[in-house]
Amino acid sequence: VVTAHMRMSGMYWGLTTMCLLGKNLQKEMGSEALCDWVMSCYHADVGGFGGGTDHDPHMLYTLSALQILALCDELDRVDKDMVCMYIKSLQLSDGSFQGDIWGEVDTRFSYCALQALAIIGRLPSLDGESHEGVELAEMGKSKAINIVRAVDFIKECINFDGGFGAVPTAESHAGQIFCCVGALSIARALHVVNVDQLGWWLAERQCDSGGLNGRPEKQADVCYSWWILSSLSILGKMSWIDGDKLTHFILECQDPEDGGFADRPGNIGDIFHTFFAIAGLHLLGYFKRRARAGEVVFREYRDIDPTYALPTDVVKRLGLPAQVL
Ligand code: GRG
Ligand code: ZN
């Protein structure tokens, strides 16, 4: 059960999982009706999406909505200029982004903003050139976000340990690190990262159980398999953790009865942890190995992109920018 206010993200987690497992959204998941529902959460007056019908627009659900439309190849349904204006309206003068009109600032929203703009082809590049096929000139500079400041703000969130927090001076946390590394990958600005120091901090998150925690002294949780592995993958340091031990931990989190994955072994599964467990197993090459071992069904599984958390073929189809080391 996904809480009503975040149904949009729940739908993104569920649909992406189905894609990764080789399901066809058009033929097997009724993607057209799903996109009708997504559009019923759109606020045409401001350009943002809510987490459910009749919910106020928010950056988090605007990204989830665009990701769903991208998965279903239905991006033509949105007014890209309006969505761009919505995201720009949430950028503050220091380059940060707030989640909605109420003003909470968090590096999660920087990531959401940059990915959302990339998906709709409205992401300015750092050197002032527009990306291939993007008609930014037509849009006019005044309508674009300030990408230089967006990167500067993320830089301000780097801590002495090489990690990133939600805002400047906030403690390093693996979830925020994913957001910052992902945003920098999208902006092609990974040069601001101290790769060895951050890679070391991330690798240190592996616990005796093989699972990963989100910060020192905390319990392992399957969702960090994604937040940490994707960051390490972008930084080219996936080999710094023990992949076999992590694979074993993730598989232990699956409920043998209903198939879902929980945060840790023995707990009740949910769609959030199921998505990140499957996505983590993909990055670990688990399904490829099973396909190579002759298990035919695994051949239909699709890979996931570490920067966008979308199937790699979708990222390719849309020509989305990403820097990986
Ligand atoms: C497109 C994949 C994708 C994401 C969109 C919303 C977002 C961008 C990213 C969220 C990143 C984040 C902050 C993840 C962490 C989630 C989490 C498990 C938080 C728990 O924090 P604590 O402090 O738990 O309650 P710990 O594990 O530290 O005990
Ligand atoms: Zn979790």
Side-chain angles (χ1 to χ4, degrees):
V1 182
V2 177
T3 333
H5 72 274
M6 54 163 84
R7 191 161 286 161
M8 188 68 81
S9 294
M11 175 138 19
Y12 152 71
W13 301 325
L15 290 179
T16 310
T17 308
M18 294 309 255
C19 282
L20 296 178
L21 299 178
K23 297 278 176 240
N24 182 309
L25 297 188
Q26 276 80 12
K27 291 187 192 136
E28 296 175 86
M29 300 295 296
S31 63
E32 211 179 309
L34 292 175
C35 292
D36 289 344
W37 177 81
V38 170
M39 292 313 295
S40 77
C41 302
Y42 179 62
H43 295 257
D45 52 336
V46 291
F49 289 81
T53 320
D54 298 328
H55 287 239
D56 290 341
H58 194 287
M59 182 75 91
L60 289 172
Y61 310 120
T62 300
L63 173 61
S64 295
L66 294 172
Q67 288 178 307
I68 296 167
L69 295 172
L71 285 172
C72 299
D73 204 2
E74 298 267 358
L75 281 167
D76 287 345
R77 293 202 194 200
V78 287
D79 179 339
K80 300 190 173 74
D81 289 334
M82 272 310 285
V83 176
C84 179
M85 266 161 62
Y86 174 69
I87 291 164
K88 184 180 162 63
S89 76
L90 295 175
Q91 189 176 33
L92 304 180
S93 57
D94 64 358
S96 66
F97 288 86
Q98 43 186 51
D100 61 11
I101 52 167
W102 302 109
E104 184 197 359
V105 164
D106 189 310
T107 45
R108 280 180 301 157
F109 309 141
S110 299
Y111 172 77
C112 293
L114 265 53
Q115 166 160 185
L117 291 173
I119 289 178
I120 58 170
R122 296 292 189 277
L123 182 75
S125 74
L126 273 179
D127 56 16
E129 300 282 316
S130 62
H131 288 294
E132 219 178 340
V134 178
E135 284 147 21
L136 281 173
E138 203 178 287
M139 180 172 100
K141 266 218 164 85
S142 62
K143 290 187 187 156
I145 60 146
N146 188 324
I147 185 82
V148 175
R149 287 215 181 142
V151 168
D152 280 345
F153 177 76
I154 295 170
K155 225 161 102 183
E156 289 297 314
C157 297
I158 300 180
N159 289 316
F160 67 92
D161 56 13
F164 295 81
V167 290
T169 75
E171 183 193 358
S172 296
H173 186 287
Q176 309 297 150
I177 291 173
F178 162 77
C179 292
C180 294
V181 170
L184 294 171
S185 166
I186 294 171
R188 297 186 194 275
L190 286 173
H191 57 270
V192 310
V193 178
N194 182 333
V195 177
D196 284 353
Q197 196 190 17
L198 178 55
W200 176 250
W201 190 93
L202 291 166
E204 288 255 277
R205 304 279 59 75
Q206 189 156 33
C207 305
D208 294 339
S209 60
L212 308 176
N213 64 14
R215 47 196 164 133
E217 311 300 333
K218 291 280 190 162
Q219 267 193 295
D221 174 332
V222 96
C223 65
Y224 294 113
S225 311
W226 171 261
W227 307 120
I228 292 177
L229 221 44
S230 58
S231 303
L232 285 171
S233 164
I234 293 168
L235 301 176
K237 302 288 184 203
M238 255 195 7
S239 64
W240 286 15
I241 56 134
D242 184 330
D244 289 341
K245 271 181 89 174
L246 177 57
T247 302
H248 182 77
F249 175 83
I250 299 176
L251 294 173
E252 287 277 294
C253 294
Q254 186 174 29
D255 183 326
E257 308 258 311
D258 68 10
F261 288 74
D263 55 354
R264 52 189 69 100
N267 285 356
I268 295 183
D270 61 74
I271 187 68
F272 176 85
H273 289 97
T274 300
F275 169 46
F276 292 115
I278 297 294
L281 288 172
H282 263 285
L283 291 182
L284 288 162
Y286 174 75
F287 300 114
K288 275 220 172 78
R289 275 199 297 281
R290 295 201 56 172
R292 252 187 261 124
E295 293 177 74
V296 180
V297 49
F298 292 102
R299 280 197 209 136
E300 288 162 28
Y301 282 29
R302 288 155 73 181
D303 287 333
I304 188 154
D305 181 87
T307 298
Y308 288 93
L310 288 171
T312 44
D313 57 292
V314 173
V315 171
K316 213 179 214 172
R317 163 162 58 78
L318 297 172
L320 304 181
Q323 182 187 11
V324 289
L325 303 179

